[in-house]
Amino acid sequence: MNLEYFIAKRLIKGKEHKISISAPIIKIAIAAIAIGVIMMLVAIATGGGLKEKIREKITAFNGHVQIYNYDNNNSEVSVVPVSTEQEFYPDFNMVDGIVHIQAVATKAGIIRTEETFEGIIAKGVGKEYNWEPFDEFLIEGVLPDYSGELNSDVLISRIMSNRLNLKVGDSFFTFFLRDDAADKIPNQRKFTITGIYDSGFEEIDGLYIFTDIRHIQRMNKWKDTEIGNFEVFLESFDDIDEKNIEIRSNTFSTLDNRTIKDKYYKIFEWIGLFDFNIALIIGIMIIVGGINMITALLVLILERTPMIGILKALGTNNWSIRKVFLYNAAYLIVVGLFWGNLIGLGIIFIQEKFRVFKFPNPKEYYIEYIPVSIDLWTILLLNAGVLLLCLLMLLIPSYIITRITPVKAIRFE
């Protein structure tokens, strides 16, 4: 039998434990642990969820890695075409972790209506384009289908439709400058709106419309095998830098590639700060919870001083007595963890299902509601870390037991 555990269990379950002087302090310590866990879970879930959503939205429009001709000079508009007759297209089998590759092309233009006009970038896509992320963005109409004959269907954003006062089913003219001769009459195309999307990214929504890539190929006088660039999608965002290097080593020297982290480095620098903020919150909460547990432990030791004296008089060593109180403290921490996890995970679940909490200014965070994302391993590591660190913090104050002498302790009142 574990004597220390047995004594600690009797202390916890004893009636005097619930009506003792230390009872309010113990409840405060448990509440501090629970509140700390709630704050940590919410911070991790919201920080991780926001990072994940922003990454998903940027990836939907760009892929994880872009492959283009060196002469494009990182332009938003396709300048020098790339041939689709590549070993890595349409299946990039040379690098593991690539789930999809698609060919696109972009061209700057101006939409002209009777009342106003708007500068845009037409993004030409083909039949293999991955429309899956746009199922969430689509707010009106349907997504265009470019798998058949060339058509004039386009997808535009809500911001652009509001600026131009257009709706699903409306047609409009778009003018594109000629690359070979700027003084000639611009290319003109009439498009019909089949769908309207809203991703939350004003920088992207206010600029891009989606059309059939064959329009851009014809206006640029490209062959059917010539496109602007390739967009590569990966299984995991965490492997993006490693896979970018592998992709570069498996493509011709005339081609270059870059990640969305390089293209939108300001956004990714910003969301990179989330990790620091989360770590700061976790650190503060653990310190606050630890201090409260130290206070509770010292009160427990003070209250049980006569018992400590009796145990010492019976020959119990200091470490065994310290273990009694550490077991007691561990129980209190576990109780706090239980209630913290119950409430914290409950809040996260409600937010994920019902999206109760929303950002006061969605434009700053590119999304209306506060997204949440957390996995089982993170929850387990967080709980184990809190329990371990709090117990380590209690080792030093428990040392006070070694300074208690049996004679004075038994007489203590």
Side-chain angles (χ1 to χ4, degrees):
M1 178 185 291
N2 189 329
L3 178 62
E4 296 87 355
Y5 176 75
F6 175 76
I7 297 173
K9 189 175 180 182
R10 291 297 300 270
L11 291 177
I12 292 168
K13 292 188 175 182
K15 292 182 180 179
E16 64 275 8
H17 175 73
K18 299 179 181 179
I19 60 174
S20 63
I21 300 174
S22 62
I25 297 174
I26 290 172
K27 291 178 181 177
I28 293 173
I30 292 174
I33 294 292
I35 294 171
V37 171
I38 294 170
M39 293 292 294
M40 288 185 279
L41 286 173
V42 171
I44 293 172
T46 53
L50 189 57
K51 286 174 62 177
E52 188 176 304
K53 277 295 179 184
I54 292 174
R55 288 172 178 175
E56 286 178 358
K57 288 189 175 186
I58 296 176
T59 303
F61 287 94
N62 301 271
H64 292 94
V65 180
Q66 294 180 327
I67 304 173
Y68 52 90
N69 196 299
Y70 262 113
D71 295 334
N72 271 337
N73 195 27
N74 292 338
S75 173
E76 289 290 340
V77 178
S78 302
V79 179
V80 180
V82 180
S83 174
T84 56
E85 296 175 347
Q86 308 283 346
E87 292 183 6
F88 57 79
Y89 184 79
D91 298 310
F92 209 138
N93 298 323
M94 297 89 78
V95 178
D96 294 330
I98 293 179
V99 295
H100 183 63
I101 182 170
Q102 58 196 23
V104 300
T106 53
K107 191 172 182 66
I110 296 176
I111 295 177
R112 180 80 171 117
T113 65
E114 294 181 358
E115 295 85 14
T116 184
F117 64 91
E118 193 74 30
I120 55 93
I121 291 180
K123 182 169 184 177
V125 302
K127 60 183 178 181
E128 83 282 8
Y129 192 75
N130 180 25
W131 289 109
E132 185 178 348
F134 286 83
D135 291 335
E136 181 183 349
F137 304 155
L138 190 68
I139 57 174
E140 289 183 46
V142 296
L143 295 171
D145 182 10
Y146 302 133
S147 59
E149 296 294 327
L150 177 66
N151 60 58
S152 61
D153 296 343
V154 294
L155 178 72
I156 72 170
S157 68
R158 177 164 59 181
I159 293 175
M160 199 171 296
S161 67
N162 291 337
R163 289 175 180 173
L164 297 168
N165 194 25
L166 295 172
K167 60 184 182 297
V168 173
D170 289 348
S171 298
F172 59 86
F173 287 99
T174 306
F175 300 91
F176 300 91
L177 291 177
R178 295 177 180 269
D179 295 332
D180 53 351
D183 57 337
K184 292 186 178 180
I185 298 175
N187 287 305
Q188 178 178 301
R189 290 292 187 277
K190 184 178 182 181
F191 294 122
T192 302
I193 301 172
T194 60
I196 298 175
Y197 73 92
D198 183 10
S199 71
F201 266 89
E202 286 195 11
E203 296 92 333
I204 297 176
D205 291 1
L207 192 60
Y208 284 92
I209 69 171
F210 291 82
T211 184
D212 195 319
I213 192 172
R214 287 170 287 189
H215 285 295
I216 296 177
Q217 288 173 329
R218 291 186 179 186
M219 287 187 287
N220 289 346
K221 297 181 180 179
W222 291 350
K223 300 176 182 178
D224 293 341
T225 57
E226 292 180 324
I227 52 96
N229 62 276
F230 296 98
E231 295 177 345
V232 182
F233 292 81
L234 306 176
E235 286 183 358
S236 173
F237 183 90
D238 297 332
D239 301 330
I240 190 169
D241 293 322
E242 177 187 345
K243 297 303 176 183
N244 186 48
I245 296 172
E246 290 186 41
I247 290 170
R248 180 174 284 113
S249 63
N250 283 276
T251 54
F252 289 116
S253 58
T254 56
L255 300 178
D256 194 14
N257 54 282
R258 64 172 173 172
T259 66
I260 54 174
K261 289 172 63 178
D262 297 326
K263 185 176 181 179
Y264 298 96
Y265 66 93
K266 290 184 178 179
I267 293 177
F268 283 95
E269 283 182 356
W270 170 58
I271 65 177
L273 297 175
F274 295 173
D275 294 332
F276 173 77
N277 295 337
I278 292 171
L280 184 63
I281 291 172
I282 291 175
I284 292 173
M285 291 299 103
I286 289 177
I287 291 173
V288 171
I291 290 174
N292 278 275
M293 286 307 306
I294 289 172
T295 303
L297 179 66
L298 292 176
V299 172
L300 285 172
I301 292 173
L302 183 66
E303 191 177 47
R304 297 292 177 177
T305 299
M307 184 196 75
I308 295 172
I310 293 173
L311 290 174
K312 282 194 172 188
L314 292 173
T316 309
N317 60 50
N318 289 322
W319 176 237
S320 292
I321 300 174
R322 290 172 70 184
K323 284 172 66 176
V324 170
F325 289 94
L326 289 175
Y327 276 130
N328 205 333
Y331 168 78
L332 301 179
I333 296 171
V334 169
V335 173
L337 289 173
F338 171 78
W339 287 109
N341 280 277
L342 184 65
I343 299 172
L345 294 176
I347 293 172
I348 293 170
F349 176 79
I350 292 172
Q351 178 62 14
E352 184 177 8
K353 293 297 181 183
F354 304 104
R355 299 177 179 178
V356 178
F357 303 101
K358 301 182 183 298
F359 287 114
N361 190 355
K363 294 181 181 180
E364 294 182 0
Y365 295 93
Y366 307 107
I367 190 169
E368 292 185 359
Y369 66 94
I370 300 176
V372 291
S373 176
I374 194 168
D375 57 83
L376 179 61
W377 282 110
T378 301
I379 297 170
L380 294 176
L381 287 173
L382 177 65
N383 282 270
V386 171
L387 178 61
L388 180 61
L389 290 174
C390 286
L391 286 176
L392 288 174
M393 292 173 68
L394 295 176
L395 285 176
I396 296 176
S398 69
Y399 183 76
I400 195 174
I401 292 172
T402 63
R403 309 297 299 272
I404 298 175
T405 59
V407 175
K408 292 182 179 179
I410 294 172
R411 293 178 178 177
F412 183 82
E413 293 183 2

